[in-house]
Amino acid sequence: MAVRIRRTYSSTTLSLCGLSLCCSLLSPAVAHASDTIGSDGYVHVAPNGVVLGVDPYYPTDGNGGYDVGDYTIDLSYDPASRFLNAKALVTATTTQRLSRFNLDLRGLTVAAVKVNGVPASFIRAKVHELVITPVTELAADTSFTVEVVYCGRPQPEYTPGRGATGWRTTRSGGAVAAGAPHSASTWFPVNDTSADKATFHLNATVPTGWSVVSTGVRKAVHGGTHSWAEEVPVTPSATMIAVDRFTVRESTLPGGTSVLDAFAPGADPALARKLPAVMEFLTDRLGPYPLPSTGGVYLSEWLTHSHPSQGRPVHGVTADESALVQSLASQWWGNQLAIKMWKDQPMVESFARYLVWLWNEANGGLTVEQRYQDTLRRVGADPRFWGRELADPGVGREFSVTDKGVLMVHALRKHIGDDKFFMVLRDYPEIATLMNQGWHDWELFTAAVADKDLTAFHEAWVHGTTLPPAELR
């Protein structure tokens, strides 16, 4: 039975996001058949069709009913007022019939929404849901576009254990948006799940003297408009934007990869000079770099950690050589090989951190075996250290267990031997390109490469909460 929706409108005309329009107040009590409403959290499904459910840590991350193919963001930003005006064009394909669906957007004011060029009704719900009702129901397996006009002063999100992520202003008067898990939704409407990679295009206009650096390759600078394109599909949390009075340096690595480094006023360029040597080291161990461009954004302020944004990590003043190596290693283990759910984050981060150990060893530091044994002696059987389960560290602790995880990685190397270990290190990101992976997938892969039963190893190191037995250490 068709359900009629009554819309009510205020009589007040507002100047909103550069548009003059009536402010629409759609009642949230909208009824539709449940099989045509996209869920307000992304529902993960295994390749064999088994429904895994939503992310247990962030159950409303992402949305159901569609897969995004591309984001194109046109924005203008005024550093003096900290005000953003923007239009996002989301190109997607339905995975079911859709009479209603959501995008994720935190804060900001939405002025208008169009679906396939036709004005659509919308409401805001919960903390970050933009609920959209197109005039005409969308058929399954059909390409469609969503245009969202919005504006406001973007704000960061504060995540336990991570501090501020997403859009924040900088001491130099600029702004940067980077970090996980919820950076993207602080500045553009997005299907905010790592399971939905998409290409990304940005046209950002800023006042004279300011520059914009983003994910991908810089395509053009016309006046105050800076255009960027990332044609390699990227997870939302791996996108970034930075606005500042940057000094930009471009170069090319011996293999042909372009490098673009951007330095905010007062930033030290010394760390960036180490990038060519690090990239040579990583490509030797991990294979060809999976992106056309690399580099970094170097800020003159304190960050809790470097953000491994795709192709262009963001570093603060405390970033050191280890941070540079880990953020670049994350381009393979973290961006090319992307996780399914946030409980899987320690899987990729532990391997990226192990590459720091390998780098330090190759450059005259402790051998990885000595570092491993020293750490085991230091932590002993401390339940505070071993009681954290790698496969399920808990919400807000996704990034807090890699000190245990890096030990697991070296223990795996000892357990299966160098030849098979370095096959895992090199091949897993490559075969998983555009395929999100979780702990279960990794366990199957390592066992297949090792050609042995690794159940005891995985139970002790990945799922265990006590010191693993001596024979597995």
Side-chain angles (χ1 to χ4, degrees):
M1 179 181 68
V3 178
R4 295 187 180 276
I5 304 169
R6 180 182 179 186
R7 297 173 175 83
T8 60
Y9 300 89
S10 76
S11 59
T12 304
T13 300
L14 302 178
S15 178
L16 195 59
C17 303
L19 302 176
S20 179
L21 71 161
C22 291
C23 181
S24 172
L25 302 175
L26 173 62
S27 168
V30 181
H32 289 284
S34 59
D35 62 348
T36 68
I37 296 177
S39 61
D40 64 356
Y42 186 89
V43 179
H44 297 261
V45 180
N48 62 4
V50 174
V51 177
L52 303 176
V54 297
D55 191 311
Y57 293 0
Y58 306 102
T60 59
D61 271 14
N63 305 280
Y66 62 92
D67 287 323
V68 177
D70 178 73
Y71 298 99
T72 297
I73 314 298
D74 293 281
L75 65 81
S76 62
Y77 180 70
D78 177 26
S81 64
R82 301 181 179 180
F83 200 84
L84 175 79
N85 274 289
K87 179 179 72 175
L89 181 66
V90 182
T91 303
T93 301
T94 58
T95 59
Q96 64 177 73
R97 292 164 48 217
L98 281 180
S99 59
R100 195 175 84 200
F101 60 91
N102 294 11
L103 286 166
D104 300 312
L105 183 65
R106 297 173 186 273
L108 302 173
T109 299
V110 175
V113 176
K114 292 181 180 179
V115 176
N116 290 334
V118 179
S121 301
F122 62 91
I123 59 170
R124 308 299 293 273
K126 301 179 180 177
V127 176
H128 60 83
E129 301 290 353
L130 172 60
V131 185
I132 299 169
T133 303
V135 171
T136 303
E137 180 181 287
L138 304 175
D141 303 315
T142 302
S143 178
F144 70 104
T145 60
V146 185
E147 179 185 292
V148 182
V149 177
Y150 61 103
C151 63
R153 292 182 175 86
Q155 300 295 322
E157 190 208 16
Y158 292 90
T159 304
R162 299 290 283 174
T165 60
W167 191 285
R168 76 204 84 168
T169 55
T170 62
R171 294 179 182 177
S172 55
V176 62
H182 303 131
S183 172
S185 59
T186 65
W187 67 285
F188 68 94
V190 61
N191 192 24
D192 202 1
T193 169
S194 60
D196 195 4
K197 287 185 173 184
T199 54
F200 180 82
H201 297 82
L202 173 69
N203 303 297
T205 302
V206 290
T208 301
W210 295 87
S211 298
V212 179
V213 178
S214 190
T215 307
V217 175
R218 185 167 66 173
K219 305 301 289 186
V221 178
H222 293 300
T225 300
H226 302 250
S227 298
W228 291 81
E230 178 53 283
E231 303 297 351
V232 178
V234 56
T235 65
S237 61
T239 60
M240 60 79 57
I241 183 175
V243 179
D244 217 314
R245 299 180 185 275
F246 287 117
T247 298
V248 175
R249 296 180 183 175
E250 297 184 77
S251 58
T252 303
L253 296 177
T257 301
S258 64
V259 181
L260 186 146
D261 291 314
F263 305 94
D268 186 351
L271 187 61
R273 289 195 284 268
K274 299 179 181 179
L275 183 144
V278 173
M279 287 292 292
E280 181 181 6
F281 171 85
L282 292 174
T283 54
D284 183 57
R285 284 150 184 81
L286 298 173
Y289 183 62
L291 300 166
S293 179
T294 186
V297 172
Y298 300 85
L299 304 177
S300 57
E301 59 189 272
W302 187 86
L303 297 178
T304 56
H305 51 275
S306 294
H307 299 293
S309 307
Q310 183 160 306
R312 196 144 292 107
V314 178
H315 306 283
V317 293
T318 59
D320 58 10
E321 192 173 286
S322 293
L324 177 68
V325 175
Q326 184 168 336
S327 65
L328 291 174
S330 296
Q331 304 309 310
W332 286 266
W333 281 87
N335 290 336
Q336 183 182 31
L337 169 61
I339 60 172
K340 286 182 177 177
M341 303 184 188
W342 282 107
K343 65 184 180 65
D344 303 317
Q345 179 63 25
M347 177 186 71
V348 292
E349 191 153 327
S350 296
F351 275 87
R353 184 168 175 178
Y354 189 71
L355 282 151
V356 177
W357 282 24
L358 293 174
W359 164 266
N360 290 338
E361 178 184 62
N363 287 274
L366 288 176
T367 66
V368 290
E369 174 65 14
Q370 183 65 57
R371 196 165 180 175
Y372 172 79
Q373 295 295 344
D374 288 349
T375 305
L376 286 179
R377 281 191 292 270
R378 186 178 70 253
V379 300
D382 187 348
R384 293 172 298 179
F385 184 88
W386 297 107
R388 303 165 299 163
E389 183 183 346
L390 288 180
D392 192 7
V395 62
R397 297 191 291 273
E398 308 92 320
F399 300 88
S400 67
V401 294
T402 50
D403 52 350
K404 178 182 176 182
V406 71
L407 298 180
M408 178 276 293
V409 174
H410 188 62
L412 176 68
R413 176 181 174 183
K414 290 159 66 76
H415 194 62
I416 67 176
D418 275 12
D419 287 347
K420 293 177 178 179
F421 171 79
F422 283 102
M423 189 180 299
V424 171
L425 186 70
R426 183 185 183 98
D427 290 355
Y428 195 40
E430 183 177 359
I431 69 163
T433 301
L434 299 182
M435 294 172 58
N436 296 78
Q437 301 288 288
W439 279 111
H440 178 67
D441 309 296
W442 175 85
E443 289 173 15
L444 293 175
F445 182 81
T446 54
V449 172
D451 194 23
K452 64 189 297 187
D453 185 355
L454 295 180
T455 302
F457 180 90
H458 294 146
E459 287 300 317
W461 277 100
V462 178
H463 304 281
T465 55
T466 59
L467 174 68
E471 65 270 19
L472 297 177
R473 299 202 303 267

